[in-house]
């Protein structure tokens, strides 16, 4: 759930024009009020919860202010020996709605996407595609390409004491909200290095890092059919691993001049098509991400 911000200067009770405290951004459970007596006098369950629900507290305060009682503002309780931490998130991460006349602002949930590129080649088309398509995502999506080239070959004997690179891979997958596979096609299937990474992060049995993570599958190749066969084989594997994978639209891209511009971004001729895919992927992740 996104954290909720309550701007103190939004909740001034009408008759008192004195500015309230500077906004302090935090979750509802860390706020209190200057007048706990109002809570002590509560006669309903909703009013009794005002110590932990600032929206209810402000609604009750506004009623009393209109009746001629004192102004009530929301403050954050002091921490012994420390000043309250104040941080203002970027403006494009704040959404505001109004509830019962009070402005309620929430920080948008951030989605961390683990990107697995199925190619180790330095000038890989798929690595370029992974970087370029990430720029078509909204501000609340961030992409991180995980390393798979330093993983040892999977050996079940190592399940009890995996290599540091394997631990790192599993941690990066677990810490992400979703997955993006950008794969090449080798001999009508997925590259061995990609299968090796999938096997490592799926073991030991019952401790898979992949399970439940929504995913998208794309790829580019010099062949006329793109990476269609590799994608189909990869989808079979992801289905077994309980990875909900976006089915449509499919993307089978042939590497041609103009696919990427001079800056390495998606070229004008392909941007609309790939933007449509990214929009569908974003909706898929938001629907299925925990």
């Amino acid at each position: 759930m996104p954290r909720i911000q309550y701007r103190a200067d939004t909740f001034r009770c009408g008759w008192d024009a004195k500015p309230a405290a500077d906004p302090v951004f935090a979750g509802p459970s860390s706020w209190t009020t200057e007048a706990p007596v109002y809570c002590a006098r509560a006669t309903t369950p909703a009013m009794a919860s005002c110590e932990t629900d600032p929206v209810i507290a402000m609604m009750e305060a506004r009623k009393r202010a209109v009746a001629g009682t004192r102004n009530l503002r929301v403050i954050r309780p002091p921490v012994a020996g420390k000043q309250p931490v104040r941080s203002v998130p970027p403006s494009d991460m704040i959404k505001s709605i109004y509830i019962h006349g009070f402005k309620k602002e929430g920080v948008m949930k951030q989605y961390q996407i683990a990107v697995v590129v199925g190619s180790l080649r330095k000038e890989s088309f798929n690595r370029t595609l992974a970087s370029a398509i990430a720029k078509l995502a909204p501000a609340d999506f961030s992409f991180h390409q995980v390393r798979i080239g330093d993983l040892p070959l999977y050996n079940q004997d190592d399940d009890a004491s995996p290599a540091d690179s394997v631990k790192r891979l599993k941690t990066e997958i677990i810490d992400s909200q979703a997955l993006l596979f950008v794969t090449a096609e080798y001999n009508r299937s997925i590259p061995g290095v990609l299968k090796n990474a999938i096997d490592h992060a799926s073991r030991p049995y019952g401790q898979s890092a992949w399970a439940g993570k929504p995913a998208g599958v794309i790829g580019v190749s010099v062949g006329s059919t793109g990476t269609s066969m590799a994608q189909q084989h990869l989808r079979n594997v992801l289905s077994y691993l309980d990875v909900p994978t976006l089915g449509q639209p499919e993307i089978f891209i042939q590497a041609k001049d103009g696919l990427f511009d001079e800056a390495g971004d998606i070229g004008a001729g392909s941007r609309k098509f790939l933007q449509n895919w990214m929009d569908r992927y974003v909706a898929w992740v938001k629907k299925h991400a925990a």
Side-chain angles (χ1 to χ4, degrees):
M1 294 295 291
R3 292 182 304 148
I4 300 299
Q5 305 169 347
Y6 297 89
R7 286 188 182 273
D9 57 351
T10 304
F11 299 114
R12 291 196 302 272
C13 298
W15 69 281
D16 185 353
K18 181 181 179 181
D22 291 337
V24 179
F25 295 89
S29 61
S30 64
W31 294 88
T32 185
T33 70
E34 287 187 319
V37 65
Y38 291 153
C39 296
R41 295 177 181 174
T43 58
T44 67
M47 292 172 61
S49 66
C50 67
E51 283 189 346
T52 56
D53 191 331
V55 173
I56 294 176
M58 293 302 95
M59 290 172 62
E60 296 304 317
R62 188 174 184 182
K63 293 177 183 177
R64 288 172 172 78
V66 172
T69 58
R70 58 169 289 184
N71 176 53
L72 176 67
R73 64 185 173 88
V74 176
I75 63 174
R76 186 171 181 183
V79 178
K82 296 183 179 180
Q83 293 292 325
V85 178
R86 290 171 166 79
S87 62
V88 181
S91 59
D92 62 352
M93 290 172 57
I94 300 176
K95 288 185 177 180
S96 300
I97 59 174
Y98 287 82
I99 300 179
H100 300 292
F102 295 112
K103 188 177 182 181
K104 183 178 181 181
E105 293 184 333
V107 178
M108 292 189 299
K109 178 176 180 178
Q110 291 295 295
Y111 295 88
Q112 303 293 330
I113 312 301
V115 182
V116 186
V117 179
S119 175
L120 301 182
R121 189 169 67 90
K122 184 177 180 180
E123 301 298 328
S124 167
F125 289 129
N126 284 280
R127 192 167 302 281
T128 303
L129 175 61
S131 299
I133 200 168
K135 298 177 183 178
L136 303 181
D140 52 341
F141 274 59
S142 59
F143 296 76
H144 170 66
Q145 295 185 21
V146 300
R147 281 192 295 157
I148 62 174
D150 59 345
L151 300 173
L153 289 177
Y154 176 72
N155 184 337
Q156 190 173 357
D157 292 340
D158 299 330
D159 280 0
S161 56
D164 289 342
S165 57
V166 175
K167 294 178 181 178
R168 182 203 67 230
L169 172 65
K170 295 196 70 171
T171 297
E172 291 177 341
I173 298 302
I174 291 172
D175 289 345
S176 67
Q177 281 73 55
L179 311 166
L180 176 59
F181 292 90
V182 189
T183 184
E185 181 174 303
Y186 293 171
N187 300 318
R188 295 294 189 266
S189 189
I190 60 176
V193 66
L194 175 56
K195 183 59 164 60
N196 188 52
I198 292 173
D199 291 344
H200 270 299
S202 69
R203 303 292 296 184
Y205 181 79
Q207 300 179 34
S208 173
W210 307 108
K213 304 282 185 181
V217 175
I218 60 176
V220 56
S221 171
V222 295
S224 59
T225 58
T227 59
S228 58
M229 292 297 294
Q231 289 188 40
Q232 186 57 56
H233 288 184
L234 177 56
R235 288 176 185 277
N236 290 342
V237 175
L238 296 179
S239 176
Y240 170 74
L241 293 175
D242 192 28
V243 176
T245 306
L246 177 65
Q248 296 293 333
E250 296 177 308
I251 292 188
F252 306 138
I253 304 173
Q254 183 179 15
K256 293 183 176 181
D257 290 340
L259 176 59
F260 306 111
D261 61 21
E262 294 181 357
D265 297 332
I266 302 298
S270 301
R271 190 174 298 120
K272 182 178 180 181
F273 174 67
L274 290 177
Q275 182 66 67
N276 177 61
W277 184 90
M278 177 56 71
D279 293 343
R280 293 286 296 274
Y281 173 72
V282 166
W284 182 260
V285 170
K286 290 185 175 181
K287 179 179 179 182
H288 294 279

